[in-house]
Amino acid sequence: MSPAGAGNRPADMAAVCPSSVPVKLGEGWLNTKALGAILGTPREATLEDIDYAVAAWVRGARLAKEAGFAGCQLHGAHWFLLSRSLSPHTNRRTDDYGGSPEKRVTLLNRLVKEIREICPRPNCLSAK
């Protein structure tokens, strides 16, 4: 759900997703053309991409703790990376991060583990 040219990502660079599955909101040709032009088809994340994303989330949690926040939340809704990782529709991977429900939750479990290492209780950690 990252529009072309959003943030620092160049317009010709595909968004990253657990699998290369385009967003589909309906069957109409206009919907398909508009989504294709705005969102495009994401590319499947490499293991290096996943490591990079985990490191970024962990860094964000560490910065929140250092800034004095009582905790952080992992946003796993609204078709962002975590929700797409959990969904069998958008996560068609065959490695440790996809397939069965237990494997599709691997990314979330890894995030919780790594964030908890640097932000132990009483810091709050939730997932939406």
Side-chain angles (χ1 to χ4, degrees), residues 21-122:
V21 179
V23 174
K24 187 173 182 181
L25 300 176
E27 297 296 329
W29 68 270
L30 182 58
N31 184 43
T32 302
K33 291 286 186 189
L35 282 176
I38 295 169
L39 298 176
T41 299
R43 69 172 176 81
E44 181 170 300
T46 64
L47 293 178
E48 292 79 18
D49 291 328
I50 293 170
D51 290 343
Y52 180 84
V54 168
W57 264 306
V58 171
R59 180 176 179 265
R62 180 182 53 77
L63 291 172
K65 179 183 174 188
E66 290 173 2
F69 287 92
C72 63
Q73 181 179 66
L74 299 170
H75 186 69
H78 307 111
W79 285 104
F80 288 110
L81 187 58
L82 279 178
S83 67
R84 292 186 76 121
S85 295
L86 295 169
S87 168
H89 173 70
T90 52
N91 184 346
R92 300 176 186 176
R93 300 178 73 91
T94 57
D95 61 10
D96 289 340
Y97 290 93
S100 69
E102 294 81 14
K103 287 188 174 185
R104 289 194 314 270
V105 79
T106 299
L107 176 60
L108 179 59
N109 285 338
R110 181 177 169 194
L111 286 168
V112 169
K113 179 182 179 288
E114 292 190 27
I115 290 171
R116 270 294 177 221
E117 288 175 3
I118 62 161
C119 299
R121 288 184 167 87

